Amino acid sequence: MQRRHFLASLGACLASTTGLTPAFGQSSKSNPDDMSTRAQNLAQQMASYAASLRYEDLDDETVELVKTHLADALGCGVAALRERPVESARKVALAEGGGRGASTLLGTRSRTSPDMAAFANGAAIRFYDLNDVYAGKEIGHPSDNIAACLAQAEAEGASGRDLIVAIALAYEIDCRLMDAASISQHGWDHPNFSLPAAALAAGKLMKLDEARLAQAVNLAINGHVALNQTRVQTISDWKGLADADAARNGVFAAALAREGITGPSPIFEGDAGFFKLVSGPFTLDVAKFGGRGRPFRIRDCSVKYYPAQALTQTAIDAGIDVARQAGGVDRITAVEIRTSHEGWFSAGKDAEKWAPETSGTADHSLPYVTARAMFDGDVTLASYSKDALHDPKLRAFMKKIKVIDDPEMSKLYPKYYATVVSATRDDGKVFTKRIDDIPGSATRPMQRTDFAAKFTKNAAPVLGASAADEALGVLWSLEQRDHVSDVFAPLVLRG
């Protein structure tokens, strides 16, 4: 307690010398120079939104979407629990917390600190590249923030309703930032937008005031800006861990802010801030964010049908169809994949995409996943085995594939992730298929039964059918749960 009082006093002193208002420990309503009476910077505006959001502001559709997307993320995470990078992340988290702490590690009964639980659980959710996706000017995976929400909610003894609000908030912040600016084109990674989303969601669960929430944003962004080298050329284990790390950093930043630590400000608009060095300037109208009759961005998220990068999803279906039309791959002499600029940039530009050595490179490769779909009639987790990656017949076939940046496909993005696949047969005949969306796309949304089927497919082989059913029962009644820990109880690895 003495330490907390000291830090609160220190925060007040710093505020008086740096112009930060309101001072930590004071109510914003009691300070004549509070954030509501002067121009707010973007971090403060997002903090105000986060502080004001309540469960009652969420419509029934949004509550249902939070529950179904949470089920989807946890199903993806459970399926990956025995994968090497996920086990490694869990081992690091266990070493950090000694098996004890406030937040559960998915698949176990062990606990660790909230930030390390966010990291380890986020690694599992992201590993197979099968969790949901959102496309604005930038493309990313807002469900990666769920790990931060779960970890901090459990640490705070939060209810299911508290968790639902935090997840809706994290999606809203992340997606609105992705709407506002593309940063990957400038060499930065999309988890940079997860940093304020995770920090505000964690801070909301901590019941931080507006001033501390703004500091959580400042701290999360300034210390943890990520490079897009994560997703180009040869793709390493870090591709599946980068957003998990953003979740960890967001939780850590909120914990620091709770204790009165301040961060660089204004973090977006400053002379050496995010606008200047990372994104370029953009505007964000926080008054239009979801709540009180305004739609939330979670309704515009897509859910992946195949374990592959989002912009390859339609290419998989188109490739299957074209191979069928041509009578099989043996007579095909050339393949052309026409995609959006974003699809070409992320999955069809690098030479490594034609000779993938890792599953991470392969699932971000338009030529690989399209060829695999044409050969097998599907893309599954088995499509990225060592034998599948080095199949000599497939490797030879991939040399026939050309990926084209097509302005017509770009016009449809981000509403549609459209792809045209054309195959030329040895008799000169050309077969073509264009697909704009598939089941799970925001334009063709899944229903609860679809989410349940996907969850069961992912989780039942790991947990057993009865535990998977029990987990779904908890998730579908989440708003009635007094303790978030209920979510983890059925999700323990067998053996």
Side-chain angles (χ1 to χ4, degrees):
M1 288 299 292
Q2 288 179 340
R3 177 172 172 266
R4 180 168 292 187
H5 290 156
F6 168 76
L7 287 170
S9 299
L10 177 61
C13 292
L14 287 171
S16 66
T17 59
T18 61
L20 173 68
T21 53
F24 287 108
Q26 294 181 353
S27 167
S28 62
K29 293 181 180 180
S30 66
N31 192 307
D33 188 27
D34 69 17
M35 291 193 296
S36 66
T37 61
R38 59 185 173 86
Q40 294 179 320
N41 62 46
L42 182 53
Q44 292 169 336
Q45 291 175 49
M46 292 193 296
S48 295
Y49 172 75
S52 67
L53 190 64
R54 299 289 181 268
Y55 182 82
E56 291 72 24
D57 298 327
L58 277 58
D59 57 281
D60 291 343
E61 179 188 5
T62 298
V63 172
E64 174 70 5
L65 285 168
V66 168
K67 293 192 293 185
T68 52
H69 283 252
L70 173 58
D72 186 64
L74 287 172
C76 294
V78 167
L81 284 172
R82 290 193 174 96
E83 296 292 346
R84 177 191 55 78
V86 177
E87 288 187 331
S88 296
R90 193 160 62 245
K91 186 181 295 184
V92 171
L94 279 169
E96 180 77 13
R100 299 174 300 277
S103 304
T104 299
L105 289 168
L106 183 63
T108 79
R109 293 185 175 88
S110 299
R111 296 189 175 199
T112 187
S113 62
D115 61 326
M116 292 308 298
F119 177 69
N121 295 344
I125 288 169
R126 187 78 192 95
F127 181 80
Y128 281 133
D129 211 354
L130 192 52
N131 57 324
D132 65 23
V133 64
Y134 181 81
K137 292 180 180 177
E138 187 62 66
I139 189 167
H141 304 274
S143 54
D144 288 339
N145 296 295
I146 283 175
C149 298
L150 280 167
Q152 197 63 54
E154 189 176 25
E156 299 299 319
S159 68
R161 288 191 173 199
D162 295 329
L163 175 61
I164 288 170
V165 173
I167 292 174
L169 170 62
Y171 270 72
E172 193 70 5
I173 297 296
D174 201 4
C175 295
R176 295 285 183 170
L177 287 167
M178 285 190 274
D179 283 340
S182 171
I183 56 175
S184 59
Q185 303 286 335
H186 303 299
W188 305 103
D189 200 9
H190 66 73
N192 290 311
F193 289 149
S194 297
L195 292 166
L200 287 169
K204 177 71 172 178
L205 288 159
M206 295 176 184
K207 296 181 169 55
L208 302 188
D209 60 21
E210 290 183 28
R212 284 183 171 83
L213 287 169
Q215 292 304 328
V217 173
N218 297 338
L219 290 162
I221 292 174
N222 191 81
H224 308 105
V225 174
L227 299 176
N228 200 50
Q229 186 62 32
T230 298
R231 290 167 216 286
V232 299
Q233 298 180 285
T234 299
I235 295 179
S236 68
D237 291 338
W238 191 250
K239 186 269 287 183
L241 300 174
D243 234 334
D245 190 51
R248 178 180 73 90
N249 292 325
V251 170
F252 181 61
L256 292 175
R258 175 162 58 183
E259 297 300 331
I261 302 297
T262 63
S265 179
I267 194 60
F268 286 100
E269 303 90 344
D271 291 342
F274 197 85
F275 289 168
K276 179 79 86 174
L277 300 179
V278 178
S279 65
F282 62 78
T283 58
L284 204 60
D285 189 352
V286 177
K288 294 182 179 179
F289 282 18
R292 300 175 186 174
R294 299 182 300 273
F296 286 85
R297 276 294 186 262
I298 192 171
R299 69 171 57 185
D300 298 319
C301 293
S302 296
V303 179
K304 289 187 179 181
Y305 193 82
Y306 299 105
Q309 194 252 22
L311 300 180
T312 70
Q313 300 281 309
T314 52
I316 292 170
D317 266 12
I320 292 169
D321 186 271
V322 164
R324 179 191 57 76
Q325 290 184 56
V329 297
D330 291 340
R331 294 185 61 188
I332 293 175
T333 60
V335 176
E336 183 180 272
I337 304 170
R338 307 187 75 89
T339 184
S340 64
H341 176 74
E342 291 76 9
W344 169 83
F345 181 84
S346 63
K349 174 175 70 71
D350 300 323
E352 289 82 356
K353 299 298 194 294
W354 272 261
E357 293 296 328
T358 67
S359 61
T361 304
D363 70 25
H364 275 57
S365 164
L366 269 167
Y368 180 82
V369 298
T370 306
R372 191 82 265 169
M374 295 175 76
F375 269 63
D376 300 341
D378 198 2
V379 170
T380 68
L381 299 179
S383 300
Y384 306 110
S385 69
K386 185 176 181 179
D387 288 344
L389 291 180
H390 293 91
D391 178 353
K393 190 175 180 181
L394 186 85
R395 291 265 175 149
F397 185 81
M398 287 173 65
K399 294 178 181 179
K400 303 175 183 180
I401 295 177
K402 183 178 182 180
V403 178
I404 296 174
D405 181 349
D406 187 342
E408 292 304 311
M409 299 299 102
S410 297
K411 290 177 183 177
L412 300 172
Y413 178 86
K415 183 176 182 180
Y416 296 103
Y417 307 164
T419 312
V420 178
V421 176
S422 299
T424 303
R425 200 165 61 184
D426 54 11
D427 59 2
K429 190 169 184 180
V430 178
F431 303 91
T432 299
K433 181 67 176 181
R434 170 177 162 176
I435 294 184
D436 291 352
D437 58 9
I438 64 173
S441 300
T443 49
R444 295 173 65 185
M446 287 185 180
Q447 303 303 311
R448 181 184 283 195
T449 53
D450 303 311
F451 282 100
K454 183 181 174 184
F455 178 89
T456 302
K457 180 180 179 180
N458 284 327
V462 180
L463 304 175
S466 61
D469 287 345
E470 181 185 351
L472 284 174
V474 172
L475 293 167
W476 299 153
S477 62
L478 184 61
E479 71 274 30
Q480 301 167 26
R481 299 280 168 166
D482 293 330
H483 303 289
V484 169
S485 296
D486 293 352
V487 171
F488 291 99
L491 303 177
V492 178
L493 278 169
R494 293 185 296 177

